Amino acid sequence: MAAPLRGVIGYSITPFNDEGIDTAVLTTVTQRLLDAGVHAIAPLGSTGELAYLDEHEFDIVVDTTMAAVAGRLPVLVGVSDLTTARTVRRARYAAQAGAAAVMVSPVSYWKLSEREITAHYAAVSDAVGIDIVAYNNPATSGVDMSPELLVGMFESIEHVTMVKESTGDLTRMLRIAELSGGRLPFFNGSNPLVLEALRAGAAGWCTAAPNLRAQPCLDLYAAVTGGDLDTAQARYDELKPLLEFIVAGGLPTTVKAGLELLGVPAGVPRRPLLPLDDAGRAELRGLLPG
């Protein structure tokens, strides 16, 4: 199946209020990404604090995002959970709402075997008729999937059609391309690695950075795909301090703080995450447009 996703995939925050999800602000931040020109919208990733939402809140974020996007762009919905049952429920909900694809990371308390990981993805695939992005991010999920496992699932599980690789190891992306004969699209999920990953053939860049500085992100992608590597390097050099800052400080914390500094009432992350401190806000202010 051809990948429905490409380019700069903008990851949205999940804003909260006293009642739970602030749907008005969520609509605003989604519209900002749409207006900026990203190629797809991705709610409920790490930036969207999926791990801290209950099922009702998950559904609200999906419904609000789909209403705001209104079919104008593909929507990639993060559905990961500790259990297969809840991951399947979330994937079904996203598919029924009109998502183009779902993103699954095998989050685990107990160490999972490759047999268990494969069965987890197969259960999601059996439950939905849309593409699945296998998301490898051991820093947050506690599970590290090898290129061999990812390509094996691509070859054996119907709807596993893409990979998001977030380890920051370029050799893994190259290995995925080699093992799959270039048939398995991979997306870069490591912000500081973006230029190398795109030059190595990544189908796109999964990032929260367009919430804060969209145009340089889009220019970087366009320059690489257009073969203008000098411009691509210049845009990367321009973005690099911000990319490193938001990753080091935690995406929900830093992106919400950045949106606030830009005049968007994004609020604060959900405990145990804490808002960015004063020193961090001062540093971030210098990295944003004037």
Side-chain angles (χ1 to χ4, degrees):
M1 182 181 299
L5 302 176
R6 63 171 183 82
V8 178
I9 302 175
Y11 278 63
S12 52
I13 62 159
T14 298
F16 303 110
N17 58 24
D18 292 341
E19 287 73 44
I21 307 299
D22 191 326
T23 57
V25 174
L26 178 55
T27 298
T28 296
V29 298
T30 303
Q31 187 62 53
R32 288 180 83 255
L33 289 170
L34 287 164
D35 292 343
V38 298
H39 301 105
I41 302 286
L44 297 164
S46 301
T47 307
E49 300 177 72
L50 173 61
Y52 305 122
L53 305 185
D54 63 31
E55 296 307 285
H56 179 60
E57 291 172 329
F58 171 91
D59 295 352
I60 290 173
V61 172
V62 171
D63 292 342
T64 303
T65 302
M66 296 306 301
V69 174
R72 289 173 285 175
L73 290 179
V75 177
L76 168 64
V77 177
V79 300
S80 306
D81 187 80
L82 275 169
T83 69
T84 298
R86 279 198 295 269
T87 304
V88 165
R89 190 210 74 83
R90 291 174 171 184
R92 282 177 171 154
Y93 194 93
Q96 291 167 0
V102 293
M103 183 172 64
V104 179
S105 181
V107 185
S108 181
Y109 177 85
W110 299 106
K111 180 177 175 60
L112 297 178
S113 67
E114 290 193 354
R115 182 171 68 95
E116 290 167 328
I117 294 169
T118 301
H120 181 68
Y121 278 94
V124 178
S125 180
D126 289 345
V128 299
I130 61 175
D131 289 342
I132 297 169
V133 177
Y135 177 24
N136 190 43
N137 190 0
T140 56
S141 71
V143 177
D144 191 0
M145 296 184 287
S146 69
E148 288 77 10
L149 174 59
L150 291 165
V151 173
M153 292 195 297
F154 166 68
E155 293 175 340
S156 64
I157 300 174
E158 180 180 4
H159 296 299
V160 174
T161 60
M162 293 168 277
V163 167
K164 177 185 173 185
E165 173 56 60
S166 295
T167 59
D169 182 352
L170 184 64
T171 63
R172 289 176 178 243
M173 299 183 192
L174 298 174
R175 182 65 173 157
I176 288 168
E178 177 189 9
L179 290 170
S180 70
R183 294 177 299 117
L184 175 53
F186 60 89
F187 291 78
N188 175 60
S190 172
N191 280 307
L193 190 67
V194 57
L195 180 56
E196 291 182 82
L198 290 174
R199 291 182 64 178
W205 176 19
C206 300
T207 178
N211 288 282
L212 307 181
R213 295 202 64 189
Q215 196 58 54
C217 296
L218 295 164
D219 291 345
L220 169 58
Y221 175 76
V224 174
T225 56
D228 184 356
L229 298 183
D230 289 340
T231 297
Q233 184 68 58
R235 294 293 80 74
Y236 176 73
D237 292 342
E238 178 184 347
L239 281 168
K240 184 179 178 183
L242 175 65
L243 298 178
E244 292 178 341
F245 181 89
I246 62 176
V247 171
L251 293 172
T253 295
T254 55
V255 174
K256 284 186 169 181
L259 284 168
E260 289 278 347
L261 290 169
L262 293 173
V264 180
V268 298
R270 180 166 277 179
R271 293 289 191 101
L273 301 179
L274 292 174
L276 194 62
D277 60 22
D278 290 343
R281 287 172 67 88
E283 182 177 354
L284 179 56
R285 189 185 301 276
L287 299 174
L288 297 177

